[in-house]
Amino acid sequence: MTRLSTLAGTWEPMSYAFLDASAKREVRRRMLKALAIPGHQVPYASREVPIARGWGTGGLQVTLSLLRPGLRVKVIDQGADDSVNAVNLRRFMMRTAAVEQTTDALEADIIQSRHRIPEETLAEGQILVLQVPDPEPLRPIEPDMSTARQMHGDADYGRMWLMLYEQIVRSGRVTQGAAYPAMVNGRHVMTPSPIPRWDLPKLHMARHITFLSAGREKRLHAVPPFTDVRPLVFDDVPFAVEDHATLTCAKSGLRGTFMNEIPLDDGGTLYETSDTGLAIKVLSTQGGTPQPIGTTWYPVTETQP
Amino acid sequence: MTAFIPDAPILIDQQPLLRVTAARRLYGSFVAVDDVSLEVWPGEVIGIVGESGSGKSTLLRMLNLEEPSNGGDYRLTLPGRAEQNLFDLDRFEKRALRARHIGIVYQNPHLGLMMHNSSSGNVAERLVVAGERRFAVMRRRATGALAASDFPLDRKDAPPIELSGGMQQRVQLAKAIALEPELLLLDEPTTGLDVSVQALVIDTLKRLQAERAITMIVVSHDLGVIRTLADRVLVMKQGRVVEQGLTDQVLHDPQHPYAQELVHARL
Amino acid sequence: MTYVASRGGEAAIEQAERLFRAELGPITPRQVDTIRQTLPWLIDRVMGEASLHDRDLAALALAQTGGELYEAVLLLRAWRTTQPRLAVAEVVHLDQTFAHRRISAAFKDLPGGQILGPTLDYSHRLLATDVLDGQTVTPPAVESADMPGAALLPALTDWQKAQGLIDDPTPASVAPDDIPDLTREPLLFPAARAHRLQSLARGDTGGMLALGYSAQRGYAAAHPTVNELRLAEAEVRVRHPDGTPFSVGRVRLSSCEMVSKTTNPDTKAEYLKLGFTATLGWNEVKVIAGSTLDLNMQTGGARPATNEEFVLSHVEPVEASGFCIHLKLPHYVTFQSALDALRGIRRDGGQVRSADEVMEEAEARTAAARNTMEPAQ
């Protein structure tokens, strides 16, 4: 007589990379659809994961569905590998999937990030997963997502340009800070997640894949390699990134990176490179242990710190 | 009822700009617009009068393709569109056609304007929808349309919510004419305004009509407005056109009992 | 000065969690037992919001979180989502449930009678402070009725349907595996009926109360009456592969129908409209608020309680609480980006440029671009 136990697999308290196979399959299918329609928000079930909603559960589900042993994963938050939430998400991936971790953007297979894109140019085969709090770029002008979906369907984006027009009327300039809306493949307006404007040009004609996933809002969208991504701007008013190109990192002497501004006791200000992975490699090289530094999207120079 | 009006001042080699045949609109079992047919020639101004509830505003919203129809045929003589019943277009096509070729001024400015955006922005939106992506062109043309609507340009960036009713109607008008549409629809454009302001808005409409020869359809229960603006007039009652003809003719010598009642009540 | 590699953060979050757990102390099987036995109403509330009927797991989640309710619900939801779906249970009709309590506010008496059951509704809310002085307060024994009540009670709506007072729509015929499942599909609007009822069943008690209460205070269209409220137990029946249905156990559930008079706009006929909510566990306030919302969402409109997308998007406990607390996370990159936009005006000499100046600059730029292109032509 055949015993049931010989037919069934051994019971384990948790699947590899937490999500069960059907959940992973569903996420992967949505990811493929998102790649097929660049910038289009694809609804997905978005399972509950053992991390609070709003803390990277969307990015986490995409990453978990891609993990396999031997992959190298980099997790950053605000550009930093040691930011507490990045550490926590990395711990979860290590605990459930036993992947390798790295802080080097060049050698990571998957980079999960909140609010930043690394300064070093990502290559073909790399996957960037951005955590998205609100996937809907039309939210400021249309809170109902059912109406917003219809507007995307019609490419009805007039009020987005009107929003920029109103900013110039009020402030004499476009005042949109982070999460600057972008037109993808000439068809869909997407939010690039709350990355600074500084990072947005890095998505245009990029060689890597970018997935943007919002767990709480249950939507994901993607930018496949070599896709046209342009900030939503008037043809005659140029897009301006944050004025950080001339700032110098007080720790590494780097110039040409996005900076964190640190207020000082004496009322002054100190800047440090936001991309800690890059800064650590530069510091290590300066300290006598050379590390390969990749090409960067912006011209980066080293000055004496 | 035949749509052809022998008295209409037309050039025989012209096509009508607009031709509606047997338009119908139902709300449940209530017939709001019943078998209305209408032809409008380029440059003409048509007035539609009737009491509230007569279906005239519903008809106007149907002509603006925002109100669905329950039957009938609607054609505009536009390049590539003349052979199409516009009532049959899908939502996307209706929106594109409306944005490019039809302007509308509503009685209630809240329907036509974003009350908290700048007035110039409200006008500029029309240009954005038509594909304009240059800030300077948007602003110049919005300013031009506001000027043509006799809107005081030092207020052009004020939001409509801060403006008087007459000024709000001028913003709506500027928005409606910004793309120089073939057809301008006016739904009670002066109702609710002070008499003196009414006269000024009507002056603007008259001047625009004279300068640009825009084809207009004006819905109003105010026969004074109709008399000043319209070449021809339709009288509507319970969803049907009960009388139509040259404005002077209908207002001086109405034939249908309801038209007589209406004219005498208002004079 | 050099960068410290990524260790500081890891140590900090590790110790912060330890601190929280140290204050709770060890979690013992006995403690979980005590929670399950002494706090059944809290267990029920958590089971409902977690959409997982398991008292032991619910008690464990409460023990593990020290009663931090949203954390407990998240723990259970995250556990639940990894579980395989073994079977789809048979439909439970109201008249097949074992009602411990059944109330109608619409009629003085009704087929099957008003069954008060266990409730604090008519208790005097006085704190039993004697307990703090060392005394044990033992409740007086329940005196049995002369006649045992009926095990099964007819549903009031059956009588109302027979009277032609309410619509009796034919239920859609859906294969069990094809019933829309909110835990496996995204919620889109307008929502499937199943998704709406599942959303309400999983909804945040406090959030549903707030929105339902807003409807009851007049920020909505319908003025409801409780048609039938039940706290009951129901058999969970599944089908054996050979087709025989059998019970795999009982769950506690609450259900409420809310009723309101309405007029058919076409026929002008007046009839009664029903709103419904059911949830796992006994939680009266949630199903009363939920059925009020269901009733008002049918009407539609701009008020919060009448807008389906508004209600269902905001009564989700895990999403709402998670997003609210996420605001603690560092946002210094986005803040820096906003600061830059702010300082742009200062860089321009403190003067906000007028839109007309921006326009003229744009025109000059366009002209310059045209001039540089001309020689090429």
Side-chain angles (χ1 to χ4, degrees), chain A residues 18 20 22 26 43-45 47-55 77-85 87-88 90-91 101 103 114-116 133 143-146 149 168-173 175-178 194 196-197 216 218-219 236-238 241-244 249 251 258-261 271-274 276 279-280 283, chain C residues 1-14 17 71 74 77-79 81-83 182-190 202 307 309-310 313 316 318-334 336-341 343-345 347-348 352-355 358-359 361-363 365-366:
Chain A
F18 185 77
D20 61 84
S22 75
E26 196 247 1
Y44 70 110
R47 302 301 184 87
E48 279 101 0
V49 289
I51 302 286
R53 284 281 196 240
W55 295 60
D77 191 325
Q78 314 293 298
D81 296 274
D82 65 340
S83 183
V84 280
N85 201 45
V87 171
N88 192 37
R90 187 185 309 115
R91 281 197 315 169
Q101 57 164 311
T103 60
R114 177 168 169 262
H115 298 183
R116 278 307 315 273
D144 262 20
M145 69 172 164
S146 25
R149 267 164 73 81
I168 295 181
V169 165
R170 268 197 313 274
S171 308
R173 57 173 55 243
T175 51
Q176 180 80 29
R197 300 189 300 287
R216 188 180 49 84
K218 304 181 172 66
R219 296 271 189 290
D236 53 1
V237 180
V241 303
E242 289 80 357
D243 208 1
H244 284 200
C249 173
K251 289 178 177 171
F258 191 79
M259 298 289 175
N260 296 331
E261 177 178 355
Y271 293 95
E272 59 177 40
T273 291
S274 152
T276 58
I280 287 166
L283 285 169
Chain C
M1 203 170 11
T2 57
Y3 266 122
V4 181
S6 61
R7 287 294 150 218
E10 187 154 5
I13 61 176
E14 174 69 31
E17 186 179 341
E71 287 291 337
L74 174 55
R77 289 263 192 105
W79 185 89
T81 194
T82 61
Q83 301 305 307
L182 194 61
T183 66
R184 297 288 196 273
E185 297 143 10
L187 179 61
L188 298 176
F189 299 101
R202 286 157 65 88
N307 181 329
E309 181 169 339
F310 188 95
S313 301
E316 170 38 60
V318 168
E319 288 166 13
S321 64
F323 197 69
C324 185
I325 62 172
H326 116 282
L327 296 173
K328 298 177 286 195
L329 282 176
H331 282 82
Y332 50 77
V333 166
T334 46
Q336 195 57 231
S337 194
L339 270 185
D340 177 85
R343 285 170 176 157
I345 293 161
R347 279 197 297 277
D348 292 341
V352 174
R353 287 182 306 169
S354 75
V358 176
M359 174 177 75
E361 285 166 26
E363 282 170 339
R365 211 175 283 122
T366 306

Side-chain angles (χ1 to χ4, degrees), chain B residues 110-159:
Chain B
H110 286 261
L111 289 176
L113 299 176
M114 287 168 281
M115 298 305 277
H116 296 276
N117 279 5
S118 66
S119 294
S120 65
N122 269 286
V123 182
E125 194 216 2
R126 259 296 156 103
L127 303 161
V128 172
V129 171
E132 182 54 59
R133 295 293 176 263
R134 289 163 297 180
F135 175 78
V137 174
M138 283 166 62
R139 191 161 172 83
R140 281 262 180 244
R141 288 192 60 179
T143 307
L146 284 166
S149 306
D150 297 323
F151 183 89
L153 292 183
D154 58 335
R155 302 281 283 148
K156 68 174 185 277
D157 290 330

